[in-house]
Amino acid sequence: MTDAISISNAELRFGETAALDGVSLTIPQGTCFGIVGESGSGKTTLMRAVLGLQKLDQGEICVLGNPLVPGRAALKQRASFIQPIFQDPAASLSPRSRISTMMNEVGTVLREPHAALFERLGVILNRLGLPQSVIEKYPHEISGGQARRVAIARALLMKPSILIADEPTAGLDVSVQGDLLNLLQDIRQSDNITLVIISHNLAIVRLIAENAVVMRSGKVVEGGEVGSLFKSPREAYTCELLAAWPSVTRAPALNR
Amino acid sequence: MAISLRNLSVNYSLQQGTAHALRGVSLDIEKGQMHGLVGESGSGKSTVAFALMGLLANNANVTSGTATIEGKSFDLTKRNATADLRGRGMAMIFQDPMLSLNPVFTIGTQLCEVLRRRTPGSDRKTQGAMAEDALAKVRLSNPGRRMNQYPHELSGGMRQRVVIAMALLSEPALLIADEPTTALDVTVEAQIMREIIGLRDRIGCAVLLITHSLGLVTEYCDAISVLYAGEKLESGTVRQVQRQPGHPYTRMLFDCEVPIDRERHADASQNRFTVIAGDLPDPRRRPPGCIFNARCDVSFEDCAVVSPGDYPVRNDDSHSARCLRLATP
């Protein structure tokens, strides 16, 4: 089977800084892949490059076996199988239009009749635990957690086979965070989606992903199967990341 | 007792009615201690901080509440009750350091401004030296150069260090840190928390750490208070609360945290995450009985009607929770 995403030797410089410095990785289809690292390590730049929103200086990116082609038409075509969920959900929703207007755009791209589109949307909203009334609202009228789910609903409406989520749980409460992660897990199982999770939450990546890479200043410093990667990290930087993680080391409960 | 807050209630008047953001919240923070205030978004954590600082929005109305800071009592229902304390007795670290620094002034200018209020009469040279010294104390690299730089030239972690240096200069009795590390990386988070602790130990102030991360609280705090929908459900020392949460909500919050060493299913798609089902109650209409009743997994009939008082957990005076299950008949 062709890999969902394969990147070979990607290089990109912003002036003096190397945002991507020889990144190579492959993401098999139907799996969940984690990309961890601190801010400025190039995680989001890599995502933008995979989406074709950022041109590389060097290297090649193949999505489902096909190399990225520049241009609007290709971008539009790619949208039907690879979809992003951006870090800041509020920023990915236009403040001036209702949620329904944004969802209509999906219909325009897919050339799907309005009624059929909104029927599918109803099902998706239901699954995400959003009230149907949400589509009549403006982005400022809904909460952060809801905005994020709206962004996911829009991505799913495109029926993608690859979903890239940039910090999907940043800024969410622990109680809501679990909900969202379980949802992503469900989607993965039912729709056989390839999921790419970009996060600095190591604990979550460890549980949700099969494979992961650790990035630092544009380089992949370590990668592999999550279990062994986190159990016995080889790189000093991975150890440092793991050690910095604040832990709720629960004292044994006395009578629970 | 360095700081005590009694019976704080805050309402927000909205178009759709009055939202009760806080209902009778009391806190005690010992000098030299770090007190963690945890709760979900919308629980009123930041409203506590803003009410103390006098930074509430115009549509907010403090209906009751007194604060005692260093032996002096302040009636928080009065507008600008704690104005005298701002910059002297109290300091605050905000979530977004970019928003608490003025983009058009250099770091040095902004630090010296704190000193002009703190030590009026000292000359600019000493102020500059003190400011630079403060930057060195929070371990900002190259403090001399930073003095002449603008906030946009620094990274998020560096900016947060500058804000901590500012707090250090004002030598407050109470430092309020509102989600100080949410916008930062885990590695930077650990460094910033170390600086806040360093600041606390250096000037012996009380710290109120507002966060939704139980990990941070258990790792760095001495005491904890749990806020839910504007009511304090539990408080005690971190050890006590962690060992035996008195309130089901606290227990569920702890269960939601994902430990880095949690057992992992070989098939990653089978791993599930714990959630607290349900939503926060409408802040405009408080349901009768226990506020957490609708989401509680161990509630019984009385919970829907009887409003629980604050009961001690395991006969320990310093650990209490508002749960009917603790009420001894």
Side-chain angles (χ1 to χ4, degrees), chain B residues 39-67:
Chain B
E40 296 172 65
S41 20
S43 62
K45 308 184 293 281
S46 295
T47 306
V48 172
F50 287 171
L52 272 171
M53 292 292 285
L55 296 175
L56 286 171
N58 280 333
N59 64 341
N61 180 20
V62 182
T63 51
S64 72
T66 39

PDB file of all heavy atoms in Angstrom, chain B residues 39-67:
ATOM      1  N   GLY B  39      -9.911  24.658  37.976  1.00  0.00           N
ATOM      2  CA  GLY B  39     -11.294  24.580  37.516  1.00  0.00           C
ATOM      3  C   GLY B  39     -11.325  24.650  36.007  1.00  0.00           C
ATOM      4  O   GLY B  39     -10.346  25.033  35.381  1.00  0.00           O
ATOM      5  N   GLU B  40     -12.460  24.251  35.428  1.00  0.00           N
ATOM      6  CA  GLU B  40     -12.575  24.293  33.977  1.00  0.00           C
ATOM      7  C   GLU B  40     -12.758  25.735  33.524  1.00  0.00           C
ATOM      8  O   GLU B  40     -13.018  26.616  34.327  1.00  0.00           O
ATOM      9  CB  GLU B  40     -13.803  23.484  33.544  1.00  0.00           C
ATOM     10  CG  GLU B  40     -13.705  22.023  33.870  1.00  0.00           C
ATOM     11  CD  GLU B  40     -15.019  21.317  33.589  1.00  0.00           C
ATOM     12  OE1 GLU B  40     -15.403  21.251  32.417  1.00  0.00           O
ATOM     13  OE2 GLU B  40     -15.650  20.854  34.531  1.00  0.00           O
ATOM     14  N   SER B  41     -12.691  25.959  32.210  1.00  0.00           N
ATOM     15  CA  SER B  41     -12.973  27.315  31.748  1.00  0.00           C
ATOM     16  C   SER B  41     -14.433  27.619  32.055  1.00  0.00           C
ATOM     17  O   SER B  41     -15.300  26.753  31.942  1.00  0.00           O
ATOM     18  CB  SER B  41     -12.691  27.485  30.262  1.00  0.00           C
ATOM     19  OG  SER B  41     -12.656  26.277  29.591  1.00  0.00           O
ATOM     20  N   GLY B  42     -14.665  28.835  32.467  1.00  0.00           N
ATOM     21  CA  GLY B  42     -16.022  29.225  32.830  1.00  0.00           C
ATOM     22  C   GLY B  42     -16.339  28.956  34.287  1.00  0.00           C
ATOM     23  O   GLY B  42     -17.449  29.197  34.728  1.00  0.00           O
ATOM     24  N   SER B  43     -15.361  28.453  35.045  1.00  0.00           N
ATOM     25  CA  SER B  43     -15.639  28.166  36.445  1.00  0.00           C
ATOM     26  C   SER B  43     -15.466  29.410  37.321  1.00  0.00           C
ATOM     27  O   SER B  43     -15.846  29.402  38.476  1.00  0.00           O
ATOM     28  CB  SER B  43     -14.734  27.041  36.957  1.00  0.00           C
ATOM     29  OG  SER B  43     -13.391  27.429  36.869  1.00  0.00           O
ATOM     30  N   GLY B  44     -14.885  30.460  36.760  1.00  0.00           N
ATOM     31  CA  GLY B  44     -14.744  31.704  37.515  1.00  0.00           C
ATOM     32  C   GLY B  44     -13.365  31.921  38.119  1.00  0.00           C
ATOM     33  O   GLY B  44     -13.184  32.819  38.920  1.00  0.00           O
ATOM     34  N   LYS B  45     -12.380  31.106  37.694  1.00  0.00           N
ATOM     35  CA  LYS B  45     -11.020  31.229  38.235  1.00  0.00           C
ATOM     36  C   LYS B  45     -10.470  32.636  38.036  1.00  0.00           C
ATOM     37  O   LYS B  45     -10.002  33.271  38.968  1.00  0.00           O
ATOM     38  CB  LYS B  45     -10.039  30.272  37.533  1.00  0.00           C
ATOM     39  CG  LYS B  45     -10.438  28.839  37.464  1.00  0.00           C
ATOM     40  CD  LYS B  45      -9.322  28.004  36.835  1.00  0.00           C
ATOM     41  CE  LYS B  45      -9.049  28.289  35.380  1.00  0.00           C
ATOM     42  NZ  LYS B  45      -9.944  27.706  34.433  1.00  0.00           N
ATOM     43  N   SER B  46     -10.544  33.099  36.780  1.00  0.00           N
ATOM     44  CA  SER B  46      -9.959  34.402  36.486  1.00  0.00           C
ATOM     45  C   SER B  46     -10.759  35.523  37.130  1.00  0.00           C
ATOM     46  O   SER B  46     -10.187  36.563  37.471  1.00  0.00           O
ATOM     47  CB  SER B  46      -9.885  34.624  34.980  1.00  0.00           C
ATOM     48  OG  SER B  46      -8.994  33.699  34.417  1.00  0.00           O
ATOM     49  N   THR B  47     -12.057  35.323  37.305  1.00  0.00           N
ATOM     50  CA  THR B  47     -12.872  36.354  37.952  1.00  0.00           C
ATOM     51  C   THR B  47     -12.373  36.596  39.373  1.00  0.00           C
ATOM     52  O   THR B  47     -12.364  37.727  39.848  1.00  0.00           O
ATOM     53  CB  THR B  47     -14.355  35.943  37.950  1.00  0.00           C
ATOM     54  OG1 THR B  47     -14.737  35.642  36.610  1.00  0.00           O
ATOM     55  CG2 THR B  47     -15.239  37.048  38.473  1.00  0.00           C
ATOM     56  N   VAL B  48     -11.929  35.541  40.064  1.00  0.00           N
ATOM     57  CA  VAL B  48     -11.361  35.695  41.403  1.00  0.00           C
ATOM     58  C   VAL B  48     -10.171  36.647  41.347  1.00  0.00           C
ATOM     59  O   VAL B  48     -10.070  37.605  42.108  1.00  0.00           O
ATOM     60  CB  VAL B  48     -10.923  34.330  41.984  1.00  0.00           C
ATOM     61  CG1 VAL B  48     -10.156  34.512  43.279  1.00  0.00           C
ATOM     62  CG2 VAL B  48     -12.122  33.428  42.210  1.00  0.00           C
ATOM     63  N   ALA B  49      -9.278  36.383  40.379  1.00  0.00           N
ATOM     64  CA  ALA B  49      -8.078  37.201  40.252  1.00  0.00           C
ATOM     65  C   ALA B  49      -8.444  38.644  39.915  1.00  0.00           C
ATOM     66  O   ALA B  49      -7.930  39.586  40.526  1.00  0.00           O
ATOM     67  CB  ALA B  49      -7.180  36.629  39.160  1.00  0.00           C
ATOM     68  N   PHE B  50      -9.357  38.807  38.956  1.00  0.00           N
ATOM     69  CA  PHE B  50      -9.718  40.154  38.524  1.00  0.00           C
ATOM     70  C   PHE B  50     -10.426  40.920  39.646  1.00  0.00           C
ATOM     71  O   PHE B  50     -10.225  42.126  39.789  1.00  0.00           O
ATOM     72  CB  PHE B  50     -10.592  40.102  37.266  1.00  0.00           C
ATOM     73  CG  PHE B  50      -9.818  39.731  36.028  1.00  0.00           C
ATOM     74  CD1 PHE B  50     -10.465  39.451  34.835  1.00  0.00           C
ATOM     75  CD2 PHE B  50      -8.438  39.667  36.057  1.00  0.00           C
ATOM     76  CE1 PHE B  50      -9.743  39.112  33.689  1.00  0.00           C
ATOM     77  CE2 PHE B  50      -7.711  39.322  34.921  1.00  0.00           C
ATOM     78  CZ  PHE B  50      -8.369  39.047  33.742  1.00  0.00           C
ATOM     79  N   ALA B  51     -11.249  40.228  40.443  1.00  0.00           N
ATOM     80  CA  ALA B  51     -11.936  40.898  41.540  1.00  0.00           C
ATOM     81  C   ALA B  51     -10.922  41.374  42.577  1.00  0.00           C
ATOM     82  O   ALA B  51     -11.023  42.474  43.108  1.00  0.00           O
ATOM     83  CB  ALA B  51     -12.956  39.965  42.182  1.00  0.00           C
ATOM     84  N   LEU B  52      -9.910  40.545  42.834  1.00  0.00           N
ATOM     85  CA  LEU B  52      -8.876  40.936  43.797  1.00  0.00           C
ATOM     86  C   LEU B  52      -8.089  42.130  43.298  1.00  0.00           C
ATOM     87  O   LEU B  52      -7.789  43.059  44.033  1.00  0.00           O
ATOM     88  CB  LEU B  52      -7.917  39.763  44.045  1.00  0.00           C
ATOM     89  CG  LEU B  52      -8.297  38.777  45.136  1.00  0.00           C
ATOM     90  CD1 LEU B  52      -7.379  37.575  45.090  1.00  0.00           C
ATOM     91  CD2 LEU B  52      -8.210  39.437  46.500  1.00  0.00           C
ATOM     92  N   MET B  53      -7.757  42.111  42.006  1.00  0.00           N
ATOM     93  CA  MET B  53      -6.939  43.173  41.437  1.00  0.00           C
ATOM     94  C   MET B  53      -7.766  44.421  41.123  1.00  0.00           C
ATOM     95  O   MET B  53      -7.214  45.476  40.866  1.00  0.00           O
ATOM     96  CB  MET B  53      -6.275  42.700  40.142  1.00  0.00           C
ATOM     97  CG  MET B  53      -5.215  41.633  40.317  1.00  0.00           C
ATOM     98  SD  MET B  53      -3.744  42.222  41.173  1.00  0.00           S
ATOM     99  CE  MET B  53      -2.928  43.182  39.919  1.00  0.00           C
ATOM    100  N   GLY B  54      -9.084  44.275  41.094  1.00  0.00           N
ATOM    101  CA  GLY B  54      -9.930  45.402  40.703  1.00  0.00           C
ATOM    102  C   GLY B  54      -9.905  45.628  39.204  1.00  0.00           C
ATOM    103  O   GLY B  54      -9.965  46.759  38.729  1.00  0.00           O
ATOM    104  N   LEU B  55      -9.798  44.553  38.450  1.00  0.00           N
ATOM    105  CA  LEU B  55      -9.708  44.678  36.995  1.00  0.00           C
ATOM    106  C   LEU B  55     -10.956  44.143  36.302  1.00  0.00           C
ATOM    107  O   LEU B  55     -10.938  43.869  35.115  1.00  0.00           O
ATOM    108  CB  LEU B  55      -8.496  43.882  36.476  1.00  0.00           C
ATOM    109  CG  LEU B  55      -7.127  44.342  36.926  1.00  0.00           C
ATOM    110  CD1 LEU B  55      -6.065  43.398  36.429  1.00  0.00           C
ATOM    111  CD2 LEU B  55      -6.853  45.745  36.420  1.00  0.00           C
ATOM    112  N   LEU B  56     -12.051  44.005  37.064  1.00  0.00           N
ATOM    113  CA  LEU B  56     -13.254  43.429  36.472  1.00  0.00           C
ATOM    114  C   LEU B  56     -13.815  44.330  35.383  1.00  0.00           C
ATOM    115  O   LEU B  56     -13.643  45.548  35.411  1.00  0.00           O
ATOM    116  CB  LEU B  56     -14.312  43.221  37.557  1.00  0.00           C
ATOM    117  CG  LEU B  56     -14.066  42.057  38.513  1.00  0.00           C
ATOM    118  CD1 LEU B  56     -15.061  42.122  39.656  1.00  0.00           C
ATOM    119  CD2 LEU B  56     -14.175  40.732  37.792  1.00  0.00           C
ATOM    120  N   ALA B  57     -14.492  43.701  34.429  1.00  0.00           N
ATOM    121  CA  ALA B  57     -15.093  44.463  33.346  1.00  0.00           C
ATOM    122  C   ALA B  57     -16.222  45.333  33.885  1.00  0.00           C
ATOM    123  O   ALA B  57     -16.679  45.150  35.007  1.00  0.00           O
ATOM    124  CB  ALA B  57     -15.626  43.505  32.288  1.00  0.00           C
ATOM    125  N   ASN B  58     -16.664  46.273  33.062  1.00  0.00           N
ATOM    126  CA  ASN B  58     -17.659  47.235  33.527  1.00  0.00           C
ATOM    127  C   ASN B  58     -18.997  46.605  33.877  1.00  0.00           C
ATOM    128  O   ASN B  58     -19.727  47.135  34.699  1.00  0.00           O
ATOM    129  CB  ASN B  58     -17.889  48.302  32.451  1.00  0.00           C
ATOM    130  CG  ASN B  58     -16.783  49.329  32.487  1.00  0.00           C
ATOM    131  OD1 ASN B  58     -16.172  49.542  33.532  1.00  0.00           O
ATOM    132  ND2 ASN B  58     -16.516  49.949  31.357  1.00  0.00           N
ATOM    133  N   ASN B  59     -19.317  45.471  33.230  1.00  0.00           N
ATOM    134  CA  ASN B  59     -20.619  44.875  33.506  1.00  0.00           C
ATOM    135  C   ASN B  59     -20.578  43.938  34.716  1.00  0.00           C
ATOM    136  O   ASN B  59     -21.560  43.279  35.010  1.00  0.00           O
ATOM    137  CB  ASN B  59     -21.142  44.138  32.272  1.00  0.00           C
ATOM    138  CG  ASN B  59     -20.271  42.960  31.903  1.00  0.00           C
ATOM    139  OD1 ASN B  59     -19.112  42.877  32.318  1.00  0.00           O
ATOM    140  ND2 ASN B  59     -20.812  42.033  31.146  1.00  0.00           N
ATOM    141  N   ALA B  60     -19.434  43.906  35.401  1.00  0.00           N
ATOM    142  CA  ALA B  60     -19.332  43.039  36.575  1.00  0.00           C
ATOM    143  C   ALA B  60     -19.750  43.800  37.821  1.00  0.00           C
ATOM    144  O   ALA B  60     -19.550  45.009  37.918  1.00  0.00           O
ATOM    145  CB  ALA B  60     -17.906  42.536  36.733  1.00  0.00           C
ATOM    146  N   ASN B  61     -20.318  43.068  38.743  1.00  0.00           N
ATOM    147  CA  ASN B  61     -20.795  43.679  39.964  1.00  0.00           C
ATOM    148  C   ASN B  61     -20.437  42.770  41.130  1.00  0.00           C
ATOM    149  O   ASN B  61     -20.901  41.644  41.193  1.00  0.00           O
ATOM    150  CB  ASN B  61     -22.319  43.868  39.832  1.00  0.00           C
ATOM    151  CG  ASN B  61     -22.894  44.497  41.062  1.00  0.00           C
ATOM    152  OD1 ASN B  61     -22.183  45.122  41.848  1.00  0.00           O
ATOM    153  ND2 ASN B  61     -24.195  44.314  41.254  1.00  0.00           N
ATOM    154  N   VAL B  62     -19.573  43.265  42.011  1.00  0.00           N
ATOM    155  CA  VAL B  62     -19.205  42.469  43.181  1.00  0.00           C
ATOM    156  C   VAL B  62     -20.288  42.667  44.225  1.00  0.00           C
ATOM    157  O   VAL B  62     -20.476  43.771  44.730  1.00  0.00           O
ATOM    158  CB  VAL B  62     -17.829  42.893  43.738  1.00  0.00           C
ATOM    159  CG1 VAL B  62     -17.443  42.018  44.921  1.00  0.00           C
ATOM    160  CG2 VAL B  62     -16.766  42.824  42.666  1.00  0.00           C
ATOM    161  N   THR B  63     -21.053  41.626  44.546  1.00  0.00           N
ATOM    162  CA  THR B  63     -22.164  41.795  45.476  1.00  0.00           C
ATOM    163  C   THR B  63     -21.743  41.569  46.912  1.00  0.00           C
ATOM    164  O   THR B  63     -22.360  42.101  47.824  1.00  0.00           O
ATOM    165  CB  THR B  63     -23.332  40.855  45.124  1.00  0.00           C
ATOM    166  OG1 THR B  63     -22.818  39.532  44.982  1.00  0.00           O
ATOM    167  CG2 THR B  63     -24.002  41.275  43.830  1.00  0.00           C
ATOM    168  N   SER B  64     -20.691  40.766  47.117  1.00  0.00           N
ATOM    169  CA  SER B  64     -20.174  40.643  48.472  1.00  0.00           C
ATOM    170  C   SER B  64     -18.731  40.188  48.394  1.00  0.00           C
ATOM    171  O   SER B  64     -18.301  39.637  47.385  1.00  0.00           O
ATOM    172  CB  SER B  64     -20.992  39.631  49.284  1.00  0.00           C
ATOM    173  OG  SER B  64     -20.708  38.326  48.834  1.00  0.00           O
ATOM    174  N   GLY B  65     -17.993  40.418  49.444  1.00  0.00           N
ATOM    175  CA  GLY B  65     -16.612  39.945  49.477  1.00  0.00           C
ATOM    176  C   GLY B  65     -15.685  40.899  50.188  1.00  0.00           C
ATOM    177  O   GLY B  65     -15.751  42.112  49.984  1.00  0.00           O
ATOM    178  N   THR B  66     -14.840  40.347  51.055  1.00  0.00           N
ATOM    179  CA  THR B  66     -13.791  41.142  51.683  1.00  0.00           C
ATOM    180  C   THR B  66     -12.469  40.420  51.512  1.00  0.00           C
ATOM    181  O   THR B  66     -12.429  39.188  51.510  1.00  0.00           O
ATOM    182  CB  THR B  66     -14.028  41.332  53.207  1.00  0.00           C
ATOM    183  OG1 THR B  66     -14.526  40.107  53.720  1.00  0.00           O
ATOM    184  CG2 THR B  66     -14.954  42.465  53.498  1.00  0.00           C
ATOM    185  N   ALA B  67     -11.425  41.182  51.343  1.00  0.00           N
ATOM    186  CA  ALA B  67     -10.092  40.597  51.249  1.00  0.00           C
ATOM    187  C   ALA B  67      -9.261  41.150  52.380  1.00  0.00           C
ATOM    188  O   ALA B  67      -9.339  42.341  52.681  1.00  0.00           O
ATOM    189  CB  ALA B  67      -9.457  40.943  49.918  1.00  0.00           C
TER     190      ALA B  67
END
